[in-house]
Amino acid sequence: MTTQALVVPGEKLSNDILPVPLDSSHPLKLGPGLRHVAPSTITPTVAGLLFIDQRKKAIWVENNNGRYVPQVNDVVVATVHHSSTDVFHCAITPQTTFAQLSHLAFEGVSKKTRPQLASGSLVYAKITSASKHMDPEITCCNPSTGKSDGMGELKEGMVFDLSLGMARRLLLAKQREEGGLVILEEIAEKIPFEIAVGRNGKVWVNSKGVKEILLVGNALQETDKQRLSIDGQKKLVRRLLKSI
């Protein structure tokens, strides 16, 4: 279960609202927007909604106005800028340095079969290393299994910009219960489509035609900007479907 609370920078979080770790092997996970002050104080670094996931023993702060800061294990939609001998240099946001994507960080590739990605190609990848002193590193396969796990090159389709908060809500396992979102569920009942949501506020959409792609992308953006309720999302989908 995920709960929410409004917080401001510098506020000391009460221990009463923090998830209780099961044991030392399952420590509390701090996400974006929080700082740990030794020995046991946790304070927000930005104003926004504090999300608390009791099941995962994780907490983080959503701030739609902030810039994306790469975090290990985040999935992102990245754009290939250029390639060097061994890596692709990919843009995650205009503000961050290029992320490095190894030519071999794809399922089933070798030096002889490495992908040929041109400038402007899109990839769905996971961040494996992030530091303010070094360029981020990303991968398009699971390092443990070598499988793609849904990552890799994103062909065709279009990319739409969303707030960071909306991107995280779309990545929740239970969008309706935890994120208050039914927009994709409602559209999927009428239109087949593919989607890849990046924690960096980029979402890739593909469908059978341009009109369908635009409908999905516009629906997401309007839900985000207008902060539509579940009923509002259903009304929006009905209105948009009449246009195609």
Side-chain angles (χ1 to χ4, degrees):
M1 178 179 179
T2 302
T3 56
Q4 305 173 20
L6 185 64
V7 294
V8 295
E11 176 184 350
K12 182 179 178 180
L13 300 185
S14 171
N15 290 334
D16 294 337
I17 68 171
L18 300 179
V20 179
L22 297 175
D23 51 57
S24 58
S25 64
H26 296 82
L28 180 64
K29 300 176 184 177
L30 296 188
L34 293 171
R35 177 176 60 189
H36 173 240
V37 180
S40 59
T41 299
I42 298 174
T43 62
T45 58
V46 296
L49 281 176
L50 175 71
F51 281 72
I52 305 167
D53 191 322
Q54 299 288 347
R55 183 175 61 84
K56 296 181 179 179
K57 308 303 178 187
I59 57 174
W60 66 92
V61 176
E62 292 288 7
N63 184 319
N64 289 347
N65 297 323
R67 292 178 177 178
Y68 174 70
V69 177
Q71 302 283 333
V72 173
N73 290 326
D74 277 357
V75 286
V76 294
V77 175
T79 304
V80 175
H81 184 271
H82 66 279
S83 177
S84 56
T85 305
D86 298 312
V87 300
F88 297 107
H89 300 267
C90 305
I92 298 176
T93 74
Q95 296 81 28
T96 57
T97 56
F98 291 135
Q100 296 187 17
L101 172 62
S102 170
H103 290 173
L104 302 180
F106 295 81
E107 180 180 354
V109 302
S110 65
K111 290 185 178 181
K112 292 184 179 180
T113 61
R114 65 181 65 183
Q116 302 296 316
L117 300 180
S119 176
S121 297
L122 297 172
V123 292
Y124 194 44
K126 178 175 288 188
I127 296 177
T128 56
S129 175
S131 167
K132 60 182 179 181
H133 303 297
M134 299 178 65
D135 292 341
E137 295 179 7
I138 58 178
T139 181
C140 285
C141 68
N142 186 320
S144 301
T145 64
K147 300 297 183 180
S148 67
D149 289 349
M151 296 179 287
E153 183 181 6
L154 298 173
K155 300 179 180 180
E156 302 178 336
M158 297 182 187
V159 174
F160 300 85
D161 291 324
L162 299 174
S163 70
L164 301 185
M166 181 66 170
R168 184 177 283 277
R169 289 167 67 195
L170 287 169
L171 287 166
L172 292 171
K174 298 179 180 179
Q175 290 183 17
R176 177 192 288 263
E177 295 85 353
E178 300 178 352
L181 292 175
V182 296
I183 190 73
L184 295 180
E185 178 184 324
E186 291 292 312
I187 296 174
E189 291 181 0
K190 302 295 183 180
I191 297 175
F193 63 88
E194 298 176 89
I195 189 169
V197 180
R199 186 63 187 87
N200 55 333
K202 305 288 183 181
V203 58
W204 170 85
V205 178
N206 194 23
S207 188
K208 58 184 180 181
V210 174
K211 287 184 178 180
E212 289 78 9
I213 294 173
L214 289 173
L215 184 147
V216 177
N218 291 337
L220 289 172
Q221 289 184 325
E222 190 163 341
T223 297
D224 186 16
K225 292 177 182 177
Q226 302 297 329
R227 301 187 179 186
L228 297 178
S229 64
I230 287 180
D231 286 341
Q233 294 169 47
K234 292 181 178 180
K235 291 177 181 178
L236 172 63
V237 172
R238 289 196 294 268
R239 175 168 61 83
L240 292 176
L241 286 173
K242 293 178 180 179
S243 65
I244 62 172

